[in-house]
Amino acid sequence: LSGVLLGQGVEGLASEAWAHGAQNVYLIDDPLLKNYRTQPHAHGLVALVQQYRPEILLLGATTLGRDLASAVATSLGTGLTADCTRLAIDPQTRLLEQTRPAFGGNIMATILCANRRPQMSTVRPRVMDMPARDPSRQGKLIRHELGMREDEMLTRMVEFVSAETADVVNLVDAEIIVAGGRGMGSPKNFGMLEELAKVVGGVVGASRAVVDAGWLSYAHQVGQTGQTVRPKIYISCGISGAIQHLVGMQTSDIIIAINSDPEAPIFKVATYGIVGDVLQVLPMLTEQLRSKL
């Protein structure tokens, strides 16, 4: 298991890679890599893959990771499965089984890359467990040169402009999320979710249907087309549980589902389920928690 570090002044991160299980760390430390640009980062990673020929190459499905992965896969002439929610290796064929939602989130597809190498996938942050950190672990640091000059760059970084908005919510790092779906009935009823979130120290999330209807902004969306979250507690209110939503929250430590339909798919992944009218259950739940906390 090897890690790759691309950047300027990033050598110190090698110890973190070792502590989390990497045996080797390939380092390209160069001023051209200080800020992310597709061209030099892809050039460096492609060169490493061509020299060391790994069977599998995994990248984070972040904004930059998606950009880098697609550029690298194109240069290498191999396949790329984006936003995987599960990875496994077939013990017989040794092929990487890359599972992700498909057809608008209506089915789960397992994709194989049988004839090209490396097998490439991107995985969203917090989809999988972080291995325990062992600071005593040591590994091998392998340095490489980037081999590019600034005058070869097609783009340059001029400045960073902050995308400040009034509606900022950090779903990814939240420990408690209170999420609502179309079952909440109307935008005004989301005030109940805000009140519950305030009591338990959480943030408000939403299903895709709610965001599509304009009830909340995209920053609140949980699911395959929104944020993938892994809170300690996820309270689902009036959300039926379509696949595209489930893949974004089903790894939460505790899932509490409130829905009037006892057959709703959300109950299949819930730790605790309440069958009832969410507009009646929420005020009672909020008051009970307020009296206990």
Side-chain angles (χ1 to χ4, degrees):
L1 176 64
S2 300
V4 175
L5 282 175
L6 304 170
Q8 182 181 25
V10 295
E11 182 175 340
L13 294 174
S15 60
E16 287 299 308
W18 293 326
H20 285 97
Q23 296 164 309
N24 301 314
V25 171
Y26 299 102
L27 171 69
I28 302 180
D29 196 308
D30 191 281
L32 294 185
L33 303 175
K34 179 180 180 180
N35 296 312
Y36 179 78
R37 286 181 288 181
T38 306
Q39 185 184 5
H41 280 76
H43 175 87
L45 188 51
V46 166
L48 288 175
V49 171
Q50 289 175 334
Q51 180 169 348
Y52 294 100
R53 306 180 67 80
E55 281 286 310
I56 295 169
L57 179 62
L58 306 178
L59 293 91
T62 61
T63 301
L64 301 185
R66 290 185 179 105
D67 179 79
L68 179 59
S70 58
V72 169
T74 300
S75 296
L76 295 173
T78 190
L80 170 65
T81 304
D83 286 8
C84 292
T85 58
R86 180 178 180 274
L87 297 175
I89 296 177
D90 186 297
Q92 301 298 322
T93 64
R94 301 296 297 166
L95 291 177
L96 179 66
E97 298 176 341
Q98 306 159 88
T99 301
R100 56 152 295 154
F103 292 98
N106 292 311
I107 66 169
M108 299 298 289
T110 297
I111 299 168
L112 305 177
C113 182
N115 301 315
R116 298 284 183 173
R117 292 294 182 272
Q119 301 164 90
M120 288 186 62
S121 302
T122 61
V123 182
R124 286 192 180 194
R126 302 181 72 84
V127 165
M128 298 178 183
D129 288 325
M130 173 75 78
R133 185 179 185 277
D134 181 358
S136 67
R137 283 182 52 90
Q138 295 294 317
K140 184 178 180 181
L141 183 65
I142 305 165
R143 302 174 187 273
H144 280 264
E145 298 296 324
L146 179 61
M148 297 192 79
R149 304 185 311 273
E150 182 62 49
D151 59 13
E152 296 177 285
M153 298 297 101
L154 300 176
T155 60
R156 63 187 178 92
M157 185 68 68
V158 178
E159 66 175 325
F160 285 103
V161 179
S162 177
E164 296 181 356
T165 63
D167 189 11
V168 177
V169 56
N170 185 1
L171 291 175
V172 174
D173 296 324
E175 294 194 347
I176 300 177
I177 296 175
V178 182
R182 287 295 291 270
M184 292 299 297
S186 69
K188 68 177 183 180
N189 292 330
F190 272 73
M192 295 183 183
L193 300 184
E194 293 170 359
E195 185 65 22
L196 177 56
K198 182 178 179 182
V199 169
V200 298
V203 299
V204 175
S207 67
R208 176 177 176 174
V210 165
V211 174
D212 287 347
W215 294 3
L216 285 180
S217 71
Y218 176 75
H220 294 266
Q221 185 174 321
V222 176
Q224 177 66 17
T225 54
Q227 298 291 324
T228 299
V229 298
R230 200 188 188 105
K232 292 182 178 178
I233 301 175
Y234 188 89
I235 305 175
S236 167
C237 307
I239 298 175
S240 61
I243 289 177
Q244 83 88 24
H245 184 79
L246 295 183
V247 298
M249 46 66 69
Q250 62 187 355
T251 56
S252 304
D253 290 348
I254 296 174
I255 299 172
I256 302 170
I258 307 170
N259 201 288
S260 59
D261 179 6
E263 301 300 321
I266 191 71
F267 288 123
K268 294 180 180 179
V269 300
T271 313
Y272 305 102
I274 301 174
V275 179
D277 184 341
V278 67
L279 301 183
Q280 294 180 6
V281 173
L282 270 176
M284 293 188 289
L285 180 61
T286 302
E287 286 307 310
Q288 284 291 318
L289 291 171
R290 182 180 283 116
S291 67
K292 302 292 184 183
L293 298 176

